[in-house]
Amino acid sequence: MIRSLTLVRLVSREKFEQLSSLLRALGFEEGKGWKDEHSRGAPMLAPVGSLELVEGRNPAEPDILIEVSDLDTAHSIARKFLPNATLDITDTHWKSRVFAVQLDGNLRVGFWAFNDPQRSEPAATVGNLSAAGMRFGIVVSRWNSFITERLLQGALDCLRRSGAASKDIQIVRVPGSFEIPSAARMLAETGNVDAIITLGCLIRGETTHYEHIATEVTRGIGQSAQETGVPHSYGVLTCENLEQAIDRAGLKSGNKGWEAAQTAIEMVSLKGKLKRSASDGG
Ligand code: DLZ
């Protein structure tokens, strides 16, 4: 298997120190150098390297291309080191800018950056927010129903607006939050839902063993998600008092039921994408 790629370029003895300092100033990490009776080497390490085959239009004239995070700063550093060199920045046909430096006889390097810096970031896999065709289970506790019914309405609103059909939403009611994990697991194991939205409300002031219930509910929901492979979203409010619960169920702090439904949609979509990319071989 490939471990790394090294491009070796011979430079003159006079230029060796000067070029190593320039490349370090431009941001290369200095690798483990070597020296014997005939020669010496100064590896310059970049965080990412690649060997790129191109067909058609050549992206740039130097055959070594070094991407930098800030082209203008790199350009002014190069100018300081090489005051007599021609170092014009030019636009490329691939939405970036580049300047080329003749470092030594056979060492010509292009420094470049995308015009839009976000293009350099690795592509991320993210779920989208369309719920069409997805099947959801909602497990909602009756305890503090004044709050949990609002969470349920928020979740249903989100699912419907995102394209879920009513026939694809199954609501399961349980006595209190403590029962949510076991009901969620039973539902997940039926294989009839793509995700589960858990909704409950624990209020510290009114619950003597609040900490124990909250810990157990959170752990149980997480465990059910991991062991069944069905995404579970967490819409169980853990509040200091009723006022805080009201805020989180539709007043000041939005509706956590709505948010939990949106999370569920995103996770179903993400799961589908990851499965497809795995079956496509990445
Ligand atoms: C017992 C209890 C208490 C005191 N407080 C709450 C609460 O604030 N929120 C909630 O969802 N459930 C509460 N429960 C009920 C427990 O979750 C559980 O339903 C019962 O202990 C029966 O197992």
Side-chain angles (χ1 to χ4, degrees), residues 52-61 65 91-95:
E52 189 167 312
L53 303 179
V54 174
E55 190 271 332
R57 216 162 22 149
N58 196 12
E61 153 258 323
L65 285 180
D91 289 325
T92 70
H93 62 268
W94 35 288
K95 297 193 175 115

Side-chain angles (χ1 to χ4, degrees), residues 9 11-22 24 34 39-44 104:
R9 282 291 193 272
V11 298
S12 61
R13 179 173 292 182
E14 305 76 60
K15 284 264 179 126
F16 187 90
E17 293 297 345
Q18 185 202 2
L19 294 183
S20 328
S21 324
L22 166 60
R24 280 196 301 273
W34 57 271
S39 43
R40 59 186 165 144
M44 296 289 150
D104 201 22

Side-chain angles (χ1 to χ4, degrees), residues 7-268:
L7 184 80
V8 178
R9 282 291 193 272
L10 205 57
V11 298
S12 61
R13 179 173 292 182
E14 305 76 60
K15 284 264 179 126
F16 187 90
E17 293 297 345
Q18 185 202 2
L19 294 183
S20 328
S21 324
L22 166 60
L23 294 174
R24 280 196 301 273
L26 283 165
F28 275 102
E29 185 189 336
E30 197 173 1
K32 192 162 180 275
W34 57 271
K35 191 172 181 173
D36 61 24
E37 66 269 35
H38 307 294
S39 43
R40 59 186 165 144
M44 296 289 150
L45 309 181
V48 180
S50 63
L51 173 65
E52 189 167 312
L53 303 179
V54 174
E55 190 271 332
R57 216 162 22 149
N58 196 12
E61 153 258 323
D63 59 0
I64 303 175
L65 285 180
I66 297 169
E67 184 184 9
V68 293
S69 51
D70 178 349
L71 191 73
D72 296 307
T73 304
H75 186 249
S76 56
I77 292 171
R79 265 198 182 294
K80 266 190 214 142
F81 275 83
L82 307 163
N84 302 323
T86 312
L87 297 173
D88 295 335
I89 297 184
T90 55
D91 289 325
T92 70
H93 62 268
W94 35 288
K95 297 193 175 115
S96 59
R97 295 181 305 146
V98 63
F99 68 90
V101 188
Q102 191 73 37
L103 291 175
D104 201 22
N106 67 349
L107 183 52
R108 188 163 174 77
V109 175
F111 291 90
W112 69 278
F114 278 121
N115 298 337
D116 172 6
Q118 283 192 342
R119 288 200 53 189
S120 305
E121 286 173 14
T125 307
V126 282
N128 61 38
L129 301 177
S130 164
M134 294 177 182
R135 301 162 309 161
F136 297 92
I138 304 179
V139 181
V140 56
S141 80
R142 285 194 301 270
W143 198 281
N144 292 324
S145 62
F146 169 65
I147 299 295
T148 58
E149 284 306 310
R150 291 176 182 216
L151 298 177
L152 177 61
Q153 291 314 314
L156 290 171
D157 186 40
C158 174
L159 294 181
R160 292 200 192 104
R161 287 208 218 177
S162 306
S166 296
K167 68 170 179 49
D168 290 332
I169 303 171
Q170 184 176 356
I171 300 171
V172 174
R173 293 184 191 275
V174 292
S177 295
F178 189 74
E179 285 69 40
I180 291 176
S182 50
R185 181 180 285 254
M186 287 186 255
L187 189 53
E189 285 171 351
T190 63
N192 293 336
V193 294
D194 298 313
I196 293 174
I197 299 155
T198 60
L199 304 175
C201 174
L202 286 156
I203 300 179
R204 186 192 293 273
E206 296 167 17
T207 313
T208 41
H209 39 297
Y210 170 91
E211 302 288 353
H212 301 294
I213 297 186
T215 307
E216 195 54 29
V217 171
T218 308
R219 190 194 56 78
I221 293 171
Q223 198 173 345
S224 175
Q226 281 156 17
E227 291 177 6
T228 61
V230 175
H232 290 41
S233 67
Y234 189 78
V236 180
L237 300 183
T238 48
C239 306
E240 293 301 317
N241 49 47
L242 185 61
E243 191 191 358
Q244 215 176 51
I246 293 170
D247 284 346
R248 295 178 191 175
L251 283 184
K252 283 188 212 147
S253 316
N255 184 313
K256 298 294 171 195
W258 212 98
E259 289 171 23
Q262 200 171 51
T263 300
I265 298 168
E266 183 172 342
M267 290 306 290
V268 175

